[in-house]
Amino acid sequence: MGRKVTVATCALNQWALDFEGNLQRILKSIEIAKNRGARYRLGPELEICGYGCWDHYYESDTLLHSFQVLAALLESPVTQDIICDVGMPVMHRNVRYNCRVIFLNRKILLIRPKMALANEGNYRELRWFTPWSRSRHTEEYLLPRMIQDLTKQETAPFGDAVLATWDTCIGSEICEELWTPHSPHIDMGLDGVEIITNASGSHHVLRKANTRVDLVTMATSKNGGIYLLANQKGCDGDRLYYDGCAMIAMNGSVFAQGSQFSLDDVEVLTATLDLEDVRSYRAEISSRNLAASRASPYPRVKVDFALSCHEDLLAPVSEPIEWKYHSPEEEISLGPACWLWDFLRRSQQGGFLLPLSGGVDSAATACLVYSMCCQVCKSVRSGNQEVLADVRTIMNQISYTPQDPRDLCGRILTTCYMASKNSSQETCTRARELAQQIGRWSWPLGALGQSLQNVQARIRMVLAYLFAQLSLWSRGIRGGLLVLGSANVDESLLGYLTKYDCSSADINPIGGISKTDLRAFVQFCIERFQLTALQSIVSAPATAELEPLADGQVSQTDEEDMGMTYAELSVYGKLRKVAKMGPYSMFCKLLGMWRHVCTPRQVADRVKRFFTKHSMNRHKMTTLTPAYHAENYSPEDNRFDLRPFLYNTSWPWQFRCIENQVLQLERAAPQSLDGVD
């Protein structure tokens, strides 16, 4: 009997409710896996319908079409002689579950429902699904007639079980279950399960990949075993970007790494691993074996199949690799760029329109479009026919082949500079130079005239949409342009924007990114893309240019207007959302953090100023442009930051608690203030 197994996992760019496209991508991934010798293929969470269906999960259509796709998979010759593990919603006894459906040669082996649902941050799985709470228990699931006709089965096992093949044992956990304090892989590993699979729908957040990798390697380091992680990739029709990072690990080491950002709709990873390496690794972990001797057994579904071959002594095995991480600047360069590409090709528009101000935020947005063009050209050069076909559709030119990112950006991105009497010559020059370097001339819209600040800001939005409609028409090209917003996460957090001004757009690729990270990203673009025009932009003070000039110079800066720095805003944002602090808790926390630079009175004043302005402007979040989600302190109102938008902005009780604490500290001995002047 052989002992070397070849297994496959994948990252797929599935799209909510795109059953036809999702089916084709699943079939392609299975075909690739088989061609590489894999006998087991794992796909992403809810891959049949797409993860981001949200309230469409309530609809019977979603369940029906998912089973129709499953029937097509069962019927396809591509799925023969390989164990296929796919994700879809299943209703059992009138309860909806998020499930894995595992099948082989037209037979359903197991339907495994998710046991720990993601229900925080961007996730609302408990709204649509119920967790399976009966550990190590299965029931018989009555299969729909369309499936019975194909499988000749009336029922299939439904519940918490593992698969026992001739040569090994395979167990499933689904996305969130890896992140829970007591993950299923612990008990499954103790019960002799040697291969653990995890189907995920995990979205990108800056600096998150290392956590995911650490969880997988730690799972196999403590307990031994092989771990496969699959993930969704791309924009699923919403604010999130699912960032792939499929991987295969064994005994604490990574053996296959998938890309975090790419324009490939289907990416398959395979590895050939020796089961004896798992067994010998586990043999010497005495504490693990002692716990295993007391483990409660899982129901085992016997599978008349082997992952290994009889004669495999000479078969080469995969070698461990070191995971390669992107820097945060690279993540910003690649993640929103891939998101923009999916949004553009799926919206069937002709490109983007971006109002360039000459400041960091709009410059960073332009750089993301340029980065997207670099990714597109790279994919086309590597032979990606789907990307080439999408480019030609967008351009409405069947013979066009993008080769130079600057040329492509000049065709896809239209920029405009909206000058007013308050605009300085310096910002106009900076905007023009950047537009020329990334390939698209800047379309000057002329003076807006002297007006009230909010009216002036809103006129810019109206003009942006007007020219987004007229730009292609004026050149004899059909279609319109997507208007890009460029308000960063810190401005949104404070509400430092005018409702329905240029912050209102179709999409905003930087709306979830802090000003601090954006400055680092622009500096990165200077070196990576040789965009020298960015040098003067990144060194200039941030300004909205809504107030009259003083002797021809900008008289207004954003930080002066806000009464706080962007660096401080990032701190407030993280404490408010990630650390879940109200005014008093934040004051107490910052007393320690800022004790060397601020007195308690100064800390109190800053906290009060932030919460007053934040609560006064919270209503603006209800109209925020859909933005790429990149920070865990995003104030985005629609899905992520579920807080009210009408407040008592004086915060009387909370601020009184802060004031009482300040008075106590001020009455204390001066030396207790730890070096504050």
Side-chain angles (χ1 to χ4, degrees):
M1 174 59 67
R3 65 186 195 183
K4 296 174 184 176
V5 296
T6 301
V7 288
T9 185
C10 59
L12 302 182
N13 193 337
Q14 304 298 74
W15 189 10
L17 302 180
D18 180 25
F19 293 98
E20 179 61 36
N22 293 348
L23 168 61
Q24 297 308 319
R25 286 182 284 270
I26 292 169
L27 284 171
K28 183 177 178 181
S29 70
I30 296 170
E31 185 175 23
I32 294 171
K34 280 181 68 176
N35 289 339
R36 294 181 185 172
R39 307 268 281 175
Y40 187 100
R41 175 269 182 199
L42 174 73
E45 185 175 13
L46 294 165
E47 61 190 299
I48 284 181
C49 56
Y51 183 84
C53 292
W54 308 135
D55 279 5
H56 288 290
Y57 287 123
Y58 289 136
E59 300 167 4
S60 60
D61 282 17
T62 305
L63 297 169
L64 169 66
H65 299 325
S66 294
F67 268 110
Q68 289 171 335
V69 171
L70 177 63
L73 288 169
L74 287 163
E75 206 168 13
S76 170
V78 172
T79 64
Q80 300 303 295
D81 300 320
I82 181 171
I83 298 177
C84 297
D85 187 333
V86 299
M88 59 180 277
V90 176
M91 181 181 283
H92 176 52
R93 296 182 178 176
N94 291 349
V95 178
R96 284 178 176 82
Y97 295 96
N98 174 350
C99 293
R100 304 305 300 172
V101 178
I102 307 171
F103 62 90
L104 169 67
N105 294 337
R106 296 197 180 193
K107 297 290 182 185
I108 306 288
L109 302 175
L110 173 67
I111 302 175
R112 201 284 197 176
K114 193 172 183 179
M115 301 180 69
L117 300 184
N119 209 60
E120 69 286 327
N122 286 295
Y123 298 99
R124 300 283 178 275
E125 288 182 11
L126 277 172
R127 179 179 174 94
W128 310 295
F129 301 115
T130 300
W132 181 256
S133 57
R134 308 181 72 180
S135 177
R136 299 176 181 82
H137 176 84
T138 63
E139 298 174 356
E140 288 301 308
Y141 175 78
L142 182 64
L143 294 167
R145 277 175 290 181
M146 72 175 91
I147 303 298
Q148 290 185 27
D149 291 343
L150 289 169
T151 65
K152 309 307 177 187
Q153 303 166 272
E154 286 189 1
T155 64
F158 184 103
D160 186 24
V162 298
L163 303 181
T165 64
W166 292 342
D167 48 359
T168 188
C169 193
I170 307 165
S172 297
E173 59 183 16
I174 306 173
C175 199
E176 178 73 10
E177 294 170 0
L178 171 62
W179 302 72
T180 58
H182 193 99
S183 298
H185 69 252
I186 298 172
D187 291 332
M188 287 190 288
L190 293 176
D191 190 34
V193 174
E194 296 176 326
I195 300 174
I196 307 290
T197 66
N198 185 303
S200 284
S202 182
H203 70 285
H204 174 235
V205 174
L206 291 176
R207 306 170 180 88
K208 174 184 175 183
N210 62 319
T211 305
R212 195 186 290 139
V213 175
D214 289 347
L215 283 169
V216 170
T217 53
M218 184 59 69
T220 61
S221 176
K222 291 197 300 183
N223 211 355
I226 297 168
Y227 201 104
L228 279 65
L229 184 133
N231 195 16
Q232 169 117 343
K233 67 188 302 188
C235 169
D236 193 16
D238 206 80
R239 295 160 176 81
L240 304 183
Y241 178 81
Y242 299 90
D243 60 338
C245 287
M247 69 183 90
I248 300 175
M250 181 177 70
N251 299 344
S253 297
V254 175
F255 284 77
Q257 172 184 355
S259 63
Q260 188 172 12
F261 311 104
S262 89
L263 302 188
D264 295 335
D265 283 347
V266 177
E267 182 180 19
V268 178
L269 299 184
T270 56
T272 301
L273 302 168
D274 194 333
L275 293 172
E276 286 302 316
D277 288 339
V278 173
R279 293 157 190 166
S280 59
Y281 183 90
R282 287 177 169 177
E284 64 178 4
I285 308 177
S286 178
S287 57
R288 180 252 167 215
N289 296 334
L290 184 62
S293 69
R294 299 192 295 260
S296 299
Y298 277 79
R300 275 167 160 72
V301 176
K302 292 183 179 179
V303 184
D304 189 16
F305 191 72
L307 301 193
S308 58
C309 302
H310 281 289
E311 301 297 333
D312 62 3
L313 286 175
L314 298 179
V317 293
S318 304
E319 296 294 330
I321 61 172
E322 185 174 344
W323 192 277
K324 294 181 176 63
Y325 293 97
H326 293 288
S327 68
E329 292 79 17
E330 287 177 315
E331 289 190 68
I332 294 172
S333 175
L334 296 169
C338 293
W339 182 79
L340 280 172
W341 173 246
D342 273 354
F343 212 102
L344 177 60
R345 67 188 180 120
R346 287 171 173 171
S347 65
Q348 298 183 350
Q349 297 299 300
F352 300 112
L353 180 122
L354 172 65
L356 271 181
S357 69
V360 167
D361 293 341
S362 63
T365 306
C367 289
L368 288 176
V369 178
Y370 185 76
S371 175
M372 181 201 81
C373 293
C374 291
Q375 293 299 303
V376 169
C377 291
K378 180 181 175 183
S379 292
V380 171
R381 283 195 299 270
S382 68
N384 191 319
Q385 293 301 306
E386 293 169 355
V387 171
L388 179 60
D390 286 332
V391 171
R392 289 173 171 174
T393 299
I394 293 166
M395 296 287 97
N396 195 27
Q397 295 179 13
I398 59 172
S399 60
Y400 176 68
T401 299
Q403 295 175 328
D404 175 35
R406 191 171 181 271
D407 174 73
L408 178 60
C409 194
R411 295 166 182 262
I412 280 182
L413 176 65
T414 298
T415 62
C416 58
Y417 180 73
M418 300 185 188
S420 74
K421 291 182 179 179
N422 300 329
S423 302
S424 67
Q425 185 57 47
E426 288 80 5
T427 55
C428 181
T429 301
R430 292 196 293 265
R432 184 189 301 112
E433 288 179 352
L434 176 60
Q436 290 170 345
Q437 287 189 9
I438 62 176
R440 165 55 82 188
W441 47 270
S442 186
W443 195 351
L445 298 186
L448 297 172
Q450 185 68 42
S451 58
L452 297 174
Q453 288 188 37
N454 286 352
V455 174
Q456 183 176 317
R458 290 182 175 118
I459 288 174
R460 288 176 173 174
M461 182 270 290
V462 173
L463 287 173
Y465 272 98
L466 173 64
F467 282 92
Q469 291 176 306
L470 295 181
S471 176
L472 296 183
W473 171 83
S474 68
R475 286 177 271 159
I477 304 171
R478 65 177 178 83
L481 302 176
L482 291 167
V483 178
L484 295 179
S486 57
N488 63 65
V489 71
D490 296 325
E491 291 173 348
S492 300
L493 176 67
L494 199 64
Y496 184 63
L497 50 91
T498 301
K499 216 172 185 179
Y500 305 113
D501 70 348
C502 267
S503 61
S504 298
D506 292 314
I507 50 174
N508 180 359
I510 69 163
I513 305 173
S514 72
K515 190 79 165 189
T516 305
D517 281 336
L518 284 174
R519 286 191 175 278
F521 164 63
V522 170
Q523 192 66 47
F524 166 86
C525 290
I526 295 173
E527 300 158 15
R528 175 62 60 89
F529 301 132
Q530 302 299 306
L531 298 175
T532 55
L534 294 171
Q535 199 70 260
S536 59
I537 291 174
V538 79
S539 60
T543 174
E545 290 196 324
L546 294 174
E547 295 182 6
L549 301 176
D551 298 325
Q553 301 298 312
V554 171
S555 61
Q556 166 204 39
T557 66
D558 293 348
E559 292 185 331
E560 286 178 5
D561 270 6
M562 294 187 298
M564 59 195 75
T565 66
Y566 281 108
E568 289 172 346
L569 262 175
S570 288
V571 174
Y572 299 143
K574 288 169 184 170
L575 293 181
R576 180 197 73 95
K577 184 72 174 76
V578 181
K580 302 169 185 64
M581 292 183 176
Y584 181 72
S585 297
M586 187 181 293
F587 164 74
C588 294
K589 185 73 171 180
L590 290 175
L591 275 179
M593 289 175 62
W594 291 349
R595 65 184 182 279
H596 296 301
V597 293
C598 293
T599 65
R601 172 66 59 189
Q602 289 170 330
V603 174
D605 289 344
R606 293 182 184 193
V607 170
K608 290 178 185 178
R609 185 184 308 122
F610 166 71
F611 271 98
T612 298
K613 290 195 172 186
H614 167 71
S615 57
M616 285 173 61
N617 292 321
R618 176 68 185 167
H619 66 94
K620 296 179 182 179
M621 298 307 98
T622 62
T623 63
L624 217 58
T625 294
Y628 181 95
H629 180 88
E631 278 287 1
N632 279 328
Y633 69 90
S634 168
E636 189 269 310
D637 172 79
N638 294 284
R639 296 277 170 80
F640 183 68
D641 190 9
L642 302 183
R643 286 169 169 81
F645 60 86
L646 181 64
Y647 283 90
N648 181 345
T649 58
S650 63
W651 300 82
W653 187 281
Q654 295 92 329
F655 286 3
R656 187 162 61 248
C657 290
I658 293 176
E659 186 64 25
N660 291 340
Q661 191 64 61
V662 171
L663 292 173
Q664 286 185 39
L665 290 168
E666 288 179 340
R667 284 195 293 266
Q671 57 267 28
S672 69
L673 296 184
D674 196 14
V676 175
D677 293 335

